[in-house]
């Protein structure tokens, strides 16, 4: 009680005011004293407050707090402050306040009401702190959190970068617009987020990068950013006037976005209709937002890379099958759309792998894909690697819809591909099937696959549509494996002979033995079907030898009957050719049947790997020493192998049917000419295979080819028919 009296007597309102001011002068916070008795006007300010607001004492005393308000100030919050002052309540808040020069700061305001002993409000003490930095940090932390959350939840890059732009607009101290531009690998603007994201014209992209080439508008705080207070005072204005005027842009700030390698991958820009003078806090803000954008972009790029690993084939850069199926299901099945799938395989894939390794195989697929891409409208083509040796395409277009000219078709199908700087000719085997609601993609793909397996057995470039009967034929193939061994035991593999004629005279000069399998279970089975199966199951040398023996038997019969003798070429699979006992075995048979070695020739398909050149050379030489000649078969795919051909003493070179088919194509024609000339230089005979027309015959004759083989002259025929034919024709050998 005594104390209270003392206080009451000795510490009146004036004293209180005096001590308040004394105290406030010592504070390092800004302090304002408000006098309720004088209609709540400012009664006292300390120096810190004057420094913070840039007003002088005389400009402040007698004013109300609204001297600090501006367009972005939150009106409701200011009313709350006002109410607390009037009613003597304590309160703490943050406000967007304006300095005398119009710049903005986040002001943390603490209201301390001072009452006398009767509870009557005497003064209000307002302590204030510029917390712009802290606020920015806080909102940045908030933004970072939002961005992380959105990324985690699989939000799109559009949403995430859009949110960053919104955030800048919401928290920036002046009304502004915000745009983020991202560049692609070629440094071209690829995506736009935030303001103008849907309306910005390509012709105006460059306007965003003003000032970033030379650093004239950079600040010492921020060497990367550009700050243009008033665009109209710069010479950029003239250059991009229509854009700046159209968007009403007066000040323009930007900050490049860098990747880890410090390359520019984009740009953050903040622009306003008003003049904006950057302050220290702005530099900081922009400096801090840019890395958040980098983070988000990196995250998406990484995600894309992971997605790529899961859905792309890194060897060819094509989508992989999973990715392809997903896309088509999402795009087509959902919308019940119809279209076609095509599975495309180069017929020579294996040969290319033999010659150029796996990478050669990848390269040819990639090149075929690139070429196909040229002929389809981009949006109409979905393409992926299907198997090691094939690509798959889905499109709503029929090939006929493409309306390709003959020249384009020739380009698409017959132009050689360049692999390791060598020209490589391939034939395309294509299987196709229709996708529709009744046959969804999951069914259409195996159908196209079935059609492809039929196409693979055909000669030249072919496209096969799926037909139900094909399923049967593929099922047959399954039986093939089981039946080959049995067929071999029962002697079901027999040779047919196809005459080879002297192109200049048309006379039969020799034959090629072609295997036929006449199976009681499977019927007549094509060698195109059983040879690959036999190769894969290790039975091929048995087939080769079975045919070889029957050929020797036939020749022995002719010899014993005193009939004219002809040379017969026997096909030998490469696996067999390289087996250690090949030379010994075959020479053994020739001896056994007492046939002169010159009547036998071995044809080996040109899949000789370079590593094997030395071995091949030895085998060919051993055979040659004994008097048996060798031919290189299906010469074409490895046209490039001309380079090692001179190392190998083949006696004959057989030009593949795919070349003969395309004699009319000038490039192909030139290649054949070269092969013929080269073989002559190397002392090899040139044989053209698969001649079907008189025109082809004439052309090859003209090109100086030695020998021809094909339906134009004779089809392969059974031994008995050959004997009959030879009775009519005079012998040459
Ligand atoms: P290849 O050695 O290139 O035989 C030429 C193929 O072309 C034969 O097919 C022949 O019948 C066919 N042909 C010949 N002239 C024409 C023509 O004018 N037009 C058309 N469209 N085709 C023609 P085939 O008999 O179906 O043999 C296919 C392949 O199977 C052979 O191609 C050969 O690589 C392989 N082959 C055949 N017999 C044997 C064998 O006993 N052992 C091994 N390892 N492979 C064999
Ligand atoms: Ca052959
Ligand atoms: Ca051939």
């Amino acid at each position: 009680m005594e104390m209270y009296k003392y206080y009451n007597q000795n510490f009146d309102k004036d004293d209180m005011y005096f001590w308040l001011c004394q105290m406030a002068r010592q504070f390092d916070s800004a302090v304002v004293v408000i006098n309720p008795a004088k209609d709540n006007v400012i009664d006292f300010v300390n120096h810190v407050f004057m420094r913070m607001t840039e007003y002088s004492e005389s400009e402040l005393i007698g004013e109300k707090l609204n001297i600090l308000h501006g367009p972005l100030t939150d009106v409701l919050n200011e009313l709350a402050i006002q109410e607390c002052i009037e009613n003597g309540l304590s309160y703490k808040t943050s406000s967007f306040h304006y300095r005398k020069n119009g710049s903005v700061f986040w002001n943390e305001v603490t209201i301390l009401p001072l009452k006398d002993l009767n509870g009557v409000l005497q003064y209000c003490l307002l302590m204030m702190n510029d917390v712009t930095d802290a606020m920015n940090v806080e909102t940045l932390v908030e933004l970072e959190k939002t961005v992380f959350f959105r990324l985690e939840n699989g939000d799109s890059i559009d949403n995430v970068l859009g949110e960053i732009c919104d955030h800048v607009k919401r928290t920036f101290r002046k009304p502004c617009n915000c745009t983020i531009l991202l560049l692609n690998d070629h440094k071209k603007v690829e995506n736009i987020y935030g303001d103008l994201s849907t309306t910005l014209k390509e012709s105006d992209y460059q306007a965003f990068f003003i000032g970033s080439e030379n650093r004239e508008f950079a600040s010492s705080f921020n060497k990367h950013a550009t700050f243009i207070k008033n665009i109209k005072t710069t010479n950029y204005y003239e250059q991009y006037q229509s854009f700046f005027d159209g968007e009403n842009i007066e000040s323009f700030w930007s900050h490049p976005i860098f990747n880890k390698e410090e390359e520019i991958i984009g740009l953050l820009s903040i622009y306003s209709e008003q003049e904006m003078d950057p302050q220290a806090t702005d530099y900081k803000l922009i400096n801090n937002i840019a890395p958040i954008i980098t983070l988000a972009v990196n995250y998406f790029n990484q995600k894309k890379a992971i997605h790529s690993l899961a859905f792309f084939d890194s060897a060819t850069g094509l989508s992989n099958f999973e990715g392809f199926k997903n896309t088509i299901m999402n795009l087509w099945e959902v919308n019940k759309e119809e279209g076609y799938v095509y599975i495309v395989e180069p017929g020579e894939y294996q040969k290319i792998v033999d010659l150029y390794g796996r990478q050669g195989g990848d390269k040819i697929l990639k090149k075929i894909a690139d070429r196909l891409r040229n002929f389809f409208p981009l949006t109409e083509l979905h393409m992926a690697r299907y198997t090691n040796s094939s690509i798959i395409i889905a499109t709503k277009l029929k090939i006929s819809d493409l309306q390709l000219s003959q020249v384009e078709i020739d380009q698409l199908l017959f132009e050689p591909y360049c692999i390791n700087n060598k020209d490589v000719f391939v034939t395309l085997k294509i299987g196709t099937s229709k996708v529709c609601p009744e046959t969804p993609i999951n069914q259409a793909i195996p159908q196209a696959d079935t059609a492809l397996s039929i196409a693979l057995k055909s000669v030249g470039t072919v496209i096969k549509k799926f037909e139900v009967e094909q399923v049967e034929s593929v099922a047959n193939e399954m039986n093939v494996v089981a039946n080959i061994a049995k067929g071999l035991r029962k002697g079901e593999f027999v040779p047919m002979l196809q005459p080879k004629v002297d192109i200049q005279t048309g006379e039969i000069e020799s034959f090629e033995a072609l295997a036929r399998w006449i199976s009681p279970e499977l019927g007549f089975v094509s060698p195109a079907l059983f040879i690959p199966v036999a190769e894969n199951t290790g039975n091929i040398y048995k087939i080769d030898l079975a045919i070889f023996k029957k050929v020797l038997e036939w020749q022995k019969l002719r010899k014993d009957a005193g009939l004219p003798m002809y040379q017969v070429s026997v096909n030998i699979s490469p696996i067999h050719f390289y087996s250690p006992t090949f030379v010994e075995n075959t020479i053994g048979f020739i001896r056994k049947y007492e046939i002169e070695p010159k009547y036998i020739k071995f044809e080996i398909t040109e899949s000789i790997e370079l590593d094997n050149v030395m071995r091949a050379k030895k085998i060919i030489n051993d055979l040659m020493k004994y008097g048996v000649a060798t031919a290189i078969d299906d010469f074409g795919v490895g046209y490039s192998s001309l380079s090692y051909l001179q190392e190998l003493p083949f006696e004959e070179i057989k030009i593949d049917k795919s070349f003969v088919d395309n004699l009319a194509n000038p490039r192909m024609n030139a290649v054949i000419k070269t092969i013929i000339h080269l073989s002559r230089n190397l002392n090899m005979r040139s044989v053209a295979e698969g001649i079907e027309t008189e025109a082809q015959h004439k052309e090859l004759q003209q090109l100086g080819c030695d020998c021809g083989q094909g339906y134009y002259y004779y089809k392969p025929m059974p031994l008995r028919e050959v004997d009959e034919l030879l009775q009519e024709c005079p012998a040459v050998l």
Side-chain angles (χ1 to χ4, degrees):
M1 220 13 89
E2 203 60 36
M3 264 281 285
Y4 164 67
K5 258 189 189 156
Y6 173 83
Y7 173 79
N8 206 13
Q9 282 164 7
N10 298 299
F11 205 77
D12 63 7
K13 194 175 171 184
D14 289 343
D15 286 340
M16 192 188 218
Y17 181 74
F18 174 77
W19 284 114
L20 268 179
C21 298
Q22 274 306 99
M23 215 165 62
R25 286 189 187 100
Q26 316 297 319
F27 271 24
D28 52 10
S29 296
V31 178
V32 176
V33 178
I34 304 259
N35 193 345
K38 293 186 189 163
D39 195 22
N40 291 316
V41 296
I42 297 172
D43 218 11
F44 172 83
V45 289
N46 69 356
H47 280 284
V48 182
F49 184 79
M50 288 186 274
R51 220 178 306 128
M52 186 167 87
T53 61
E54 294 172 0
Y55 287 107
S56 67
E57 193 171 17
S58 58
E59 285 168 322
L60 290 164
I61 304 297
E63 289 296 324
K64 289 212 163 172
L65 266 189
N66 62 12
I67 191 168
L68 300 177
H69 297 179
L72 287 182
T73 310
D74 181 346
V75 185
L76 288 177
N77 195 35
E78 295 306 313
L79 278 176
I81 293 174
Q82 202 52 41
E83 233 156 78
C84 290
I85 292 173
E86 284 168 20
N87 298 311
L89 303 169
S90 19
Y91 185 50
K92 190 171 176 178
T93 186
S94 297
S95 261
F96 229 21
H97 282 164
Y98 286 70
R99 298 187 183 89
K100 185 181 173 184
N101 69 2
S103 66
V104 183
F105 62 103
W106 275 104
N107 195 359
E108 185 190 64
V109 182
T110 310
I111 303 171
L112 290 171
L114 295 171
K115 299 177 182 171
D116 68 8
L117 284 172
N118 302 319
V120 177
L121 184 67
Q122 305 292 307
Y123 292 101
C124 245
L125 187 74
L126 304 185
M127 315 259 282
M128 298 183 182
N129 280 307
D130 180 345
V131 289
T132 313
D133 271 3
M135 273 310 261
N136 279 346
V137 169
E138 206 170 288
T139 57
L140 278 171
V141 170
E142 197 62 31
L143 177 66
E144 245 171 45
K145 266 200 251 164
T146 315
V147 168
F148 271 127
F149 180 77
R150 287 181 168 233
L151 294 177
E152 283 295 307
N153 283 284
D155 220 337
S156 68
I157 188 157
D158 297 67
N159 283 348
V160 172
L161 297 187
E163 169 64 34
I164 294 177
C165 291
D166 280 351
H167 170 93
V168 171
K169 284 176 81 162
R170 270 199 316 271
T171 57
F172 198 62
R173 57 185 176 78
K174 280 204 169 186
C176 69
N177 284 321
C178 182
T179 301
I180 296 171
L181 300 141
L182 288 190
L183 306 177
N184 61 18
D185 292 343
H186 310 291
K187 302 275 167 249
K188 292 255 157 31
V189 172
E190 186 158 85
N191 285 305
I192 302 160
Y193 308 90
D195 291 304
L196 301 179
S197 61
T198 52
T199 53
L200 190 63
K201 287 202 289 279
E202 206 172 326
S203 52
D204 293 327
Y205 289 172
Q206 215 35 51
F208 276 83
F209 291 87
I210 56 174
S212 52
E213 355 38 82
N214 48 28
R215 308 253 43 90
E216 58 182 306
F217 292 101
S219 76
S220 53
F221 292 94
N222 194 319
K223 59 185 191 329
H224 296 302
T226 296
F227 293 96
I228 299 176
K229 187 170 152 186
N230 189 337
I231 201 86
K232 293 194 176 128
T233 62
T234 69
N235 40 18
Y236 295 116
Y237 182 60
E238 214 172 297
Q239 206 176 340
Y240 302 104
Q241 185 175 1
S242 67
F243 169 66
F244 290 126
D245 286 353
E247 298 300 335
N248 232 332
I249 295 172
E250 182 136 338
S251 54
F252 180 90
W253 302 355
S254 71
H255 191 293
I257 312 292
F258 297 98
N259 63 10
K260 282 191 223 90
E261 289 75 39
E262 304 256 317
E263 293 158 344
I264 296 184
I265 53 164
L267 188 86
L268 161 72
S269 59
I270 298 173
Y271 43 100
S272 170
E273 295 178 11
Q274 302 170 11
E275 211 176 80
M276 296 194 297
D277 207 0
Q279 298 170 9
T281 52
D282 299 327
Y283 300 133
K284 280 191 197 157
L285 183 81
I286 286 200
N287 259 354
N288 285 322
I289 289 185
I292 299 179
I293 299 171
T294 308
L295 176 128
V297 173
N298 283 346
Y299 178 92
F300 277 105
N301 286 344
Q302 260 167 28
K303 214 162 127 177
K304 226 170 29 191
I306 292 169
H307 180 89
S308 296
L309 284 181
F311 291 110
F312 280 82
D313 172 56
S314 54
T316 54
L318 290 170
S319 185
N320 71 14
F321 184 54
E322 270 315 297
F324 172 85
K325 239 176 31 187
N326 282 351
T327 316
I328 297 299
M329 284 197 189
N330 289 339
L331 279 176
W332 287 15
E333 230 132 86
V334 174
N335 304 323
K336 295 218 167 20
E337 303 221 49
E338 300 193 354
Y340 301 85
V341 278
Y342 299 88
I343 302 175
V344 183
E345 175 160 337
E348 295 75 6
Y349 182 82
Q350 195 48 49
K351 287 188 194 170
I352 292 171
V353 170
D354 289 345
L355 277 169
Y356 304 107
R358 286 254 153 258
Q359 284 169 339
D362 293 337
K363 274 188 201 157
I364 191 78
L365 289 189
K366 184 170 180 324
K367 300 221 159 176
I368 292 171
D370 288 345
R371 198 176 284 184
L372 287 167
R373 218 175 264 131
N374 281 338
F375 289 92
F376 282 86
L378 200 63
T379 49
E380 291 296 345
L381 187 69
H382 304 279
M383 192 153 45
R385 187 169 194 160
Y386 181 53
T387 60
N388 255 353
S389 54
S390 64
I391 50 183
I392 187 163
I393 291 170
T395 172
K396 287 181 204 137
L397 299 175
K398 276 197 223 144
I399 302 235
S400 56
D401 294 339
L402 294 176
Q403 298 193 324
L404 299 178
S405 67
Q406 191 54 46
V407 175
E408 285 174 318
I409 291 174
D410 283 355
Q411 264 173 15
L412 179 63
L413 300 179
F414 304 126
E415 280 285 303
Y417 292 86
C418 182
I419 303 284
N420 297 1
N421 290 325
K422 312 271 166 59
D423 274 354
V424 171
F425 289 87
V426 302
T427 55
L428 296 183
K429 316 292 180 187
I430 305 169
T432 174
S433 175
K434 191 166 184 213
V435 185
C436 53
E438 300 78 56
T439 320
I441 190 87
N442 270 340
Q443 273 174 37
I445 292 171
Q447 289 186 351
D449 220 349
T450 304
L452 172 71
S453 53
I454 305 293
L456 279 169
K457 282 168 218 147
S458 317
V459 189
T461 288
V462 273
I463 175 159
K464 292 277 179 200
K465 263 197 225 134
F466 171 77
E467 272 146 28
V468 181
E469 305 80 67
Q470 290 170 354
V471 179
E472 224 172 88
S473 122
V474 173
N476 274 347
E477 195 168 327
M478 302 294 141
N479 277 331
V480 169
V481 184
N483 284 301
I484 286 182
K486 205 161 83 186
L488 274 165
R489 273 199 310 277
K490 293 190 178 164
E492 290 167 7
F493 292 87
V494 294
M496 299 255 255
L497 296 187
Q498 185 177 32
K500 291 157 84 176
V501 305
D502 181 320
I503 277 207
Q504 306 305 327
T505 66
E507 281 169 13
I508 295 177
E509 56 174 44
S510 58
F511 293 89
E512 176 178 4
L514 296 157
R516 296 291 177 263
W517 180 13
I518 300 141
S519 155
E521 283 93 1
L522 305 169
F524 181 90
V525 188
S526 158
L529 208 163
F530 67 78
I531 297 289
V533 177
E535 279 178 342
N536 289 334
T537 52
N539 277 322
I540 188 65
Y541 72 99
K542 294 185 194 159
I543 294 179
D544 287 351
L545 292 180
I547 300 299
F548 182 39
K549 277 196 233 171
K550 293 212 160 119
V551 166
L552 288 169
E553 251 166 50
W554 177 73
Q555 282 177 318
K556 175 92 169 98
L557 284 175
R558 284 189 70 90
K559 186 183 167 195
D560 291 350
L563 293 167
M565 296 296 285
Y566 288 85
Q567 186 186 59
V568 179
S569 299
V570 174
N571 287 286
I572 301 294
S573 178
I575 317 165
H576 184 193
F577 178 76
Y578 284 111
S579 73
T581 54
F582 170 68
V583 176
E584 198 185 320
N585 277 349
T586 47
I587 292 180
F589 282 124
I590 298 171
R591 286 211 173 104
K592 187 174 153 203
Y593 285 89
E594 299 171 318
I595 298 297
E596 270 188 73
K598 67 171 182 186
Y599 292 127
I600 293 298
K601 186 181 280 180
F602 291 122
E603 285 189 12
I604 299 102
T605 43
E606 190 230 15
S607 63
I608 300 160
E609 291 167 45
L610 281 170
D611 304 352
N612 281 338
V613 167
M614 294 314 289
R615 277 177 66 201
K617 195 169 177 174
K618 172 141 188 4
I619 297 170
I620 297 167
N621 273 326
D622 286 352
L623 289 169
M624 199 163 59
K625 262 185 243 152
Y626 181 66
V628 177
T630 43
I632 182 158
D633 200 358
D634 300 342
F635 195 82
V637 177
Y639 167 47
S640 50
S641 55
L642 278 174
S643 55
Y644 68 90
L645 201 55
Q646 41 194 325
E647 301 252 335
L648 299 174
F650 285 112
E651 194 250 355
E652 180 180 292
I653 178 167
K654 298 192 81 179
I655 301 165
D656 197 52
K657 180 173 191 305
S658 57
F659 280 74
V660 175
D661 285 343
N662 296 298
L663 267 171
N665 177 317
R667 284 206 64 169
M668 291 288 223
N669 196 292
V671 171
I672 299 189
K673 208 172 183 171
T674 314
I675 296 175
I676 293 171
H677 283 197
L678 190 106
S679 52
R680 185 155 303 153
N681 287 341
L682 293 171
N683 264 330
M684 296 179 188
R685 281 164 47 82
S686 52
V687 180
E689 290 187 301
I691 300 170
E692 289 179 341
T693 66
E694 186 175 3
Q696 289 170 341
H697 163 74
K698 288 243 164 86
E699 179 70 22
L700 286 159
Q701 199 174 40
Q702 222 247 311
L703 289 174
C705 184
D706 296 316
C707 176
Q709 184 185 344
Y711 297 170
Y712 173 67
Y713 313 105
Y714 301 97
K715 289 200 168 174
M717 51 187 97
L719 300 175
R720 197 175 30 82
E721 277 179 36
V722 176
D723 285 328
E724 285 166 17
L725 176 75
L726 288 178
Q727 254 176 343
E728 300 156 18
C729 303
V732 262
L733 276 170

